[in-house]
Amino acid sequence: MTDRTDAGAAGGSGVTRRTPVRPDRTVPFGPAAPTAPPEAAVPRPLGEVRRWPRSFAHRLTTPLPGVRALARLAREGALRPGPEGLRGIPDLPCAPAPVPEARPGTVSVTWVGHAGWVLRTGGLTVLTDPVWSRRILGTPARLTPVGVRWEDLPPVDAVVISHNHYDHLDAPTLRRLPRHTACFVPAGLGRWFRRRGFERVTELDWWECAELGGVRFEFVPAHHWSKRSPLDSCRTLWGGWMLTDTEHGKKVYFAGDTGYGHWFAEIGRRHPGIDLALLPIGAYAPRWWLRDVHTDPEEAVRACLDLGARRMAPMHWATFVLSAEPVMEPLYRVRAAWERAGLDRERLWDLPIGASRTF
């Protein structure tokens, strides 16, 4: 295929694609998610208490690893980088700075670390998958400081959670929030929040939305899974979030945690003109073990193209050691993949932890 400017598929962004790549996994493992047209997404009531199925395992893109895969992982022992891969820790980018003011008609994002962002849009301050803890269960202490001190945060209006894994749903951090904070969570996870006293919890299925102030929160599919204890695999849903400033139309896509696959193109089709995609680039090695649930840097760039997003901000690296790749490798690879795709360098927001950008 020849080089072209794909304004239609890219939501009118006019980015040049040198090497178009087709998704390599286009068929869901289980029954497809709800496929109502975008215009059918009528906002759900805030705080609605709902009943959900006992399991969402039918939403998995691929089966969960079995005993044979677990045995191979134990045999290979490739769970952490070797000494050479850890030597990059002093080079991990971290440059804390004040959170920008929220001005009407603008959107600002500040990377807290891992999948945590302070997102200011539509008059709201929103936290994504907030983890201010130094440690999470089963993982070494964080490599870099939290990008924004808790006491320096502006008042938080809302929190969005992508799924219930410990590095995305951190109980000690959430306990710091006032119980009237609006919480937008995946289907089945509301009970966890209500048990902890949160009063404004809205659970959504894929393609459902709710509105708070000047922002629409839509829950969208992801190639991942959920588990918080040995006995609750896929009991709650997983996904990403599309946040839209309803007055000015600015759109930010927060992917949460996901592998690469067909959902990115579908999200882009339903949401043309995404202004910024917050996409994970780390925790991908060994590839045979993690490719179904974590994008590598090259796949994240492909996902950005599938989405038609005008800008991409990498995340899910430089914070915790969750897998075997060298700690600085995700940054080098995403920059190289972005350049190979022929994309405008200014549109790759490879921020240090604690840094902000505004559009």
Side-chain angles (χ1 to χ4, degrees):
M1 298 179 70
T2 58
D3 292 1
R4 64 189 178 95
T5 298
D6 194 346
S13 59
V15 295
T16 300
R17 302 174 63 166
R18 288 182 181 167
T19 53
V21 184
R22 300 184 186 280
D24 58 353
R25 285 173 287 164
T26 58
V27 180
F29 169 65
T35 55
E39 58 269 22
V42 177
R44 305 284 309 192
L46 291 172
E48 180 182 20
V49 178
R50 306 171 66 180
R51 297 185 65 180
W52 300 102
R54 182 171 175 81
S55 173
F56 292 93
H58 61 288
R59 302 283 185 88
L60 290 169
T61 307
T62 56
L64 295 177
V67 174
R68 186 172 299 178
L70 292 169
R72 177 182 173 185
L73 185 68
R75 184 171 64 251
E76 294 182 358
L79 295 174
R80 300 287 185 267
E84 185 66 30
L86 294 173
R87 284 180 187 152
I89 290 176
D91 299 322
L92 291 171
C94 187
V99 176
E101 294 183 9
R103 300 189 303 273
T106 67
V107 176
S108 75
V109 292
T110 304
W111 191 27
V112 175
H114 203 52
W117 297 84
V118 181
L119 173 59
R120 309 196 79 180
T121 181
L124 302 183
T125 297
V126 182
L127 302 184
T128 69
D129 287 1
V131 179
W132 261 254
S133 297
R134 184 170 177 268
R135 290 181 178 273
I136 54 173
L137 185 67
T139 301
R142 61 194 306 148
L143 303 174
T144 45
V146 179
V148 181
R149 296 188 310 167
W150 190 263
E151 55 268 30
D152 294 336
L153 279 174
V156 176
D157 299 294
V159 169
V160 297
I161 300 295
S162 63
H163 66 298
N164 70 356
H165 288 161
Y166 281 84
D167 57 324
H168 294 258
L169 179 63
D170 183 53
T173 298
L174 292 168
R175 279 198 295 268
R176 299 184 180 196
L177 290 166
R179 295 306 183 264
H180 64 265
T181 305
C183 300
F184 295 88
V185 306
L189 197 53
R191 183 180 177 187
W192 188 94
F193 279 80
R194 287 189 289 269
R195 284 203 309 262
R196 287 157 177 80
F198 286 95
E199 303 161 3
R200 304 168 68 200
V201 184
T202 302
E203 298 174 90
L204 297 176
D205 200 346
W206 289 348
W207 308 123
E208 291 184 340
C209 68
E211 293 186 0
L212 176 70
V215 179
R216 173 174 287 206
F217 297 76
E218 181 173 339
F219 194 50
V220 296
H223 299 272
H224 205 61
W225 62 306
S226 68
K227 185 180 182 70
R228 202 164 172 88
S229 77
L231 301 176
D232 68 350
S233 294
C234 300
R235 292 281 182 88
T236 64
L237 197 51
W238 54 91
W241 291 93
M242 187 70 66
L243 277 66
T244 304
D245 179 335
T246 55
E247 180 178 353
H248 300 96
K250 297 184 182 297
K251 300 178 183 179
V252 177
Y253 165 64
F254 169 65
D257 211 350
T258 181
Y260 179 77
H262 68 288
W263 285 128
F264 293 112
E266 179 64 14
I267 293 166
R269 185 185 73 81
R270 293 176 180 237
H271 291 279
I274 297 170
D275 293 286
L276 174 64
L278 309 175
L279 288 165
I281 64 168
Y284 52 78
R287 207 71 199 113
W288 68 266
W289 172 252
L290 291 169
R291 76 181 300 271
D292 292 327
V293 293
H294 288 163
T295 52
D296 65 22
E298 293 78 15
E299 290 170 332
V301 173
R302 292 166 65 185
C304 184
L305 292 170
D306 291 348
L307 290 160
R310 296 187 175 99
R311 306 167 185 87
M312 171 182 162
M315 63 175 185
H316 207 265
W317 78 285
T319 310
F320 297 105
V321 175
L322 301 176
S323 54
E325 74 272 5
V327 295
M328 282 294 293
E329 184 181 274
L331 180 62
Y332 301 148
R333 285 177 55 174
V334 77
R335 288 174 173 173
W338 194 263
E339 182 179 1
R340 285 196 303 271
L343 302 175
D344 183 351
R345 182 63 180 84
E346 294 298 315
R347 296 178 182 271
L348 178 63
W349 288 5
D350 46 346
L351 303 179
I353 291 173
S356 305
R357 293 289 289 272
T358 300
F359 64 88

